[in-house]
Amino acid sequence: MIPIGDDNSDRRSRPIVTWALIALNVLVFAVFQGCGANDRFTYAMSTVPQEILTGKDLVTADRTVTDPSTGQRYSVPGLGVTPISVYLTLIVSMFMHGGFAHIAGNMLFLFVFGDNVEDRIGRVRFLLFYLFCGVVASLAHVFVSKWTGQDLAVPSLGASGAISGVLGAYLLLFPKKRVRVLLFRFITKVPAWVVVGVWFVFQVVNGLGILGGGTGGGVAYAAHVGGF
């Protein structure tokens, strides 16, 4: 179920902040991350749980890891020197993404749901709310990683936590608004609570894998639910 649009007939203003956030995310991914090719920048500026917990920058060498599901070995870049306070990575990392699919999915959800929330609560409050949710989501990931005994040197990034907060606000403000979705090969309309509800259940189910000691496929589902 992929959301592709909603009813904007009651929207009173242009979603300038939403558009600006989308543009900034795309700019960071395309220019600073080199569309995913600049690993040095990405690994230096992502949020690292150990850095947040200790307040100290962590620099590591490149390493070779083995995928437990396939047995395939691959090289992982080390963590570079972070040129800013490690705590600022809680904000910077929410404008970075791990690949084209990652940023495309996040920006689609922000485009569909962000404009209505921005219109209802105002531009300044929407921006502050977005940033707040992103930081809280990252902190949720940090503490869940610590609690479940995961590798605290694994970095996390992405706007998913902030967008999770936007989805939560949308659900509260517009529970009966209908959303156009792509369902298999068909386009249909369903209530907003169905779309967001399915998304939330998916995050919780996958999050249980993390709480049980799994990796959640490398996705910080705790951050998604934390933002929500």
Side-chain angles (χ1 to χ4, degrees):
M1 183 183 295
I2 303 175
I4 57 176
D6 63 348
D7 179 14
N8 291 320
S9 60
D10 59 346
R11 199 179 71 193
R12 301 162 298 177
S13 60
R14 292 185 177 182
I16 294 177
V17 173
T18 298
W19 293 345
L21 288 171
I22 292 174
L24 183 56
N25 275 274
V26 172
L27 175 68
V28 171
F29 181 70
V31 177
F32 293 97
Q33 291 187 263
C35 293
N38 190 349
D39 287 335
R40 293 303 173 188
F41 175 86
T42 299
Y43 277 74
M45 302 300 288
S46 295
T47 295
V48 180
Q50 184 172 329
E51 293 181 345
I52 301 302
L53 292 170
T54 63
K56 298 179 180 180
D57 189 20
L58 177 65
V59 179
T60 62
D62 295 353
R63 57 178 176 164
T64 300
V65 299
T66 302
D67 187 328
S69 61
T70 64
Q72 181 180 358
R73 295 171 63 84
Y74 55 94
S75 178
V76 176
L79 299 174
V81 176
T82 303
I84 58 176
S85 167
V86 294
Y87 296 116
L88 289 179
T89 62
L90 292 168
I91 296 177
V92 175
S93 64
M94 75 174 73
F95 294 96
M96 298 161 54
H97 290 82
F100 285 102
H102 191 198
I103 189 171
N106 277 344
M107 294 306 99
L108 173 62
F109 272 78
L110 180 56
F111 176 78
V112 172
F113 297 101
D115 57 344
N116 302 89
V117 178
E118 177 183 344
D119 182 71
R120 177 63 64 89
I121 69 176
R123 291 168 180 164
V124 174
R125 286 200 294 176
F126 176 73
L127 176 60
L128 295 176
F129 175 74
Y130 181 92
L131 296 175
F132 173 77
C133 289
V135 171
V136 170
S138 291
L139 290 175
H141 171 66
V142 168
F143 290 114
V144 168
S145 296
K146 173 68 173 179
W147 178 43
T148 57
Q150 296 184 62
D151 186 350
L152 299 180
V154 175
S156 65
L157 75 173
S160 303
I163 295 172
S164 298
V166 173
L167 293 179
Y170 189 99
L171 182 59
L172 291 175
L173 296 172
F174 311 101
K176 297 182 179 180
K177 186 180 282 287
R178 300 185 69 81
V179 179
R180 293 192 307 278
V181 300
L182 178 63
L183 187 61
F184 300 107
R185 293 185 298 174
F186 303 97
I187 295 178
T188 186
K189 291 184 178 181
V190 298
W193 65 266
V194 173
V195 180
V196 179
V198 169
W199 175 91
F200 183 73
V201 170
F202 177 76
Q203 305 308 317
V204 171
V205 170
N206 282 278
L208 291 177
I210 294 179
L211 298 179
T215 62
V219 179
Y221 291 102
H224 295 195
V225 177
F228 191 89

